[in-house]
Amino acid sequence: MLRQKISFYLDDLATPIGKLINIAIALLVLASATSFVAQTYPIPEITRQSLNLLDDIILGIFVFEYFLRLWCAEEKLKYLLSLYAIVDLLAILPLFLGAIDVTFIRLLRWFRILRLIRLLESRSLFANKTEDIAILLRILFTLFAIVFVFSGLIYQIEHPTNPKFHNFLDAFYFSIFTMTTVGYSDVMPKSDAGKLTTVLMVLTGIALIPVQLGELFKRLIKTANQSDRLGEMKDITCSGCGLSCHDADAQFCKVCGTKI
């Protein structure tokens, strides 16, 4: 009973408790992302230490949440292989890989923003919105997530050896103009790893964005067709069955055949 209740609130956005938990998690993700970005700039050492402490606290909360979700899952293997669990695992791996490779850990931190996928996919979040708006928000988040994650990865890879990547904004600038195919070429990766990451960023955008745009366009066309069809209806109530919506050129009821 306790497991079911905890599992419900971890994924719920309809009740006050569920909203509080999930919004708190989203704010922690955003706070963590802001901390990562801030640390790419020259800041006082005491501020950097405070941000590192904040990140450690957030990481501890995420680790606790991960194992709590695992404990609540009825099919644990299925949960471990799910997209959400993999994203959650990427967010907490730095805790378990602390002694292996500092650069690798810093790369993993940028994936934490993907934890917002769970929030964006929640039906409760879009309960009062149309499906078109829900799809549009997902497209915007997909764009933001691709640019943010790959900007962080490229910065982490290029910054030590490439003077063009001073901070996150330089990497973000490069990612935006690369994704939009403008490519000013004043900021470019030099390492093979940076070039490969750039290729992966473009391929990821090509693979994900058109699919979601296609879904949005289909929804818009379907909505437009439905509106046109409703505009062609005439409001005449059939004396036989009571149907009130008929085609503009109809002479007989399409349900019972009575003359209208």
Side-chain angles (χ1 to χ4, degrees):
M1 186 66 179
L2 178 61
R3 289 188 184 186
Q4 293 177 345
K5 185 175 290 188
I6 293 175
S7 178
F8 171 78
Y9 284 129
L10 285 174
D11 294 318
D12 174 61
L13 276 170
T15 65
I17 296 177
K19 284 182 180 178
L20 180 63
I21 292 173
N22 283 277
I23 290 175
I25 292 173
L27 290 176
L28 289 174
V29 171
L30 294 175
S32 178
T34 303
S35 172
F36 299 161
V37 172
Q39 292 188 63
T40 67
Y41 291 85
I43 56 177
E45 187 60 29
I46 187 171
T47 303
R48 193 176 298 277
Q49 291 177 0
S50 298
L51 291 176
N52 285 330
L53 176 60
L54 174 64
D55 185 53
D56 289 341
I57 294 172
I58 293 174
L59 180 58
I61 294 173
F62 286 164
V63 170
F64 174 74
E65 181 213 354
Y66 178 81
F67 285 106
L68 190 61
R69 289 182 183 274
L70 180 61
W71 178 68
C72 293
E74 294 183 2
E75 299 181 36
K76 290 181 171 47
L77 181 59
K78 183 178 180 180
Y79 169 75
L80 288 172
L81 297 177
S82 67
L83 173 63
Y84 294 149
I86 293 173
V87 171
D88 290 348
L89 183 60
L90 285 174
I92 66 173
L93 270 180
L95 180 69
F96 306 105
L97 301 177
I100 297 178
D101 189 339
V102 174
T103 303
F104 181 52
I105 292 171
R106 288 174 179 170
L107 290 176
L108 288 175
R109 298 191 312 172
W110 298 97
F111 286 96
R112 201 171 290 174
I113 197 71
L114 298 178
R115 295 211 57 209
L116 294 177
I117 292 175
R118 182 183 276 109
L119 193 66
L120 266 293
E121 290 295 326
S122 173
R123 293 182 178 180
S124 300
L125 182 66
F126 302 109
N128 298 320
K129 300 179 178 66
T130 64
E131 184 65 22
D132 297 343
I133 295 177
I135 295 173
L136 179 60
L137 289 176
R138 293 189 188 106
I139 292 173
L140 293 175
F141 174 75
T142 301
L143 280 170
F144 168 75
I146 291 173
V147 172
F148 181 87
V149 170
F150 280 99
S151 295
L153 296 180
I154 291 171
Y155 166 80
Q156 214 71 58
I157 293 169
E158 290 291 317
H159 174 67
T161 58
N162 191 340
K164 291 290 186 179
F165 290 85
H166 294 96
N167 49 51
F168 178 80
L169 183 59
D170 292 332
F172 188 80
Y173 166 87
F174 165 75
S175 298
I176 288 291
F177 286 109
T178 301
M179 285 288 291
T180 55
T181 69
V182 175
Y184 286 147
S185 300
D186 53 339
V187 179
M188 293 292 292
K190 293 182 178 180
S191 67
D192 291 340
K195 293 175 183 177
L196 178 60
T197 303
T198 302
V199 171
L200 290 175
M201 175 180 67
V202 174
L203 292 178
T204 302
I206 292 173
L208 296 180
I209 301 303
V211 174
Q212 297 190 42
L213 283 175
E215 185 180 354
L216 177 61
F217 290 150
K218 284 192 292 185
R219 288 285 310 175
L220 292 174
I221 292 172
K222 183 179 179 180
T223 302
N225 289 338
Q226 288 176 343
S227 299
D228 291 342
R229 184 162 180 78
L230 287 174
E232 295 173 357
M233 296 290 187
K234 59 182 180 181
D235 188 14
I236 299 178
T237 302
C238 173
S239 59
C241 65
L243 182 67
S244 59
C245 291
H246 299 84
D247 295 337
D249 58 349
Q251 297 181 1
F252 298 90
C253 176
K254 58 186 176 182
V255 174
C256 67
T258 303
K259 185 176 178 59
I260 57 175

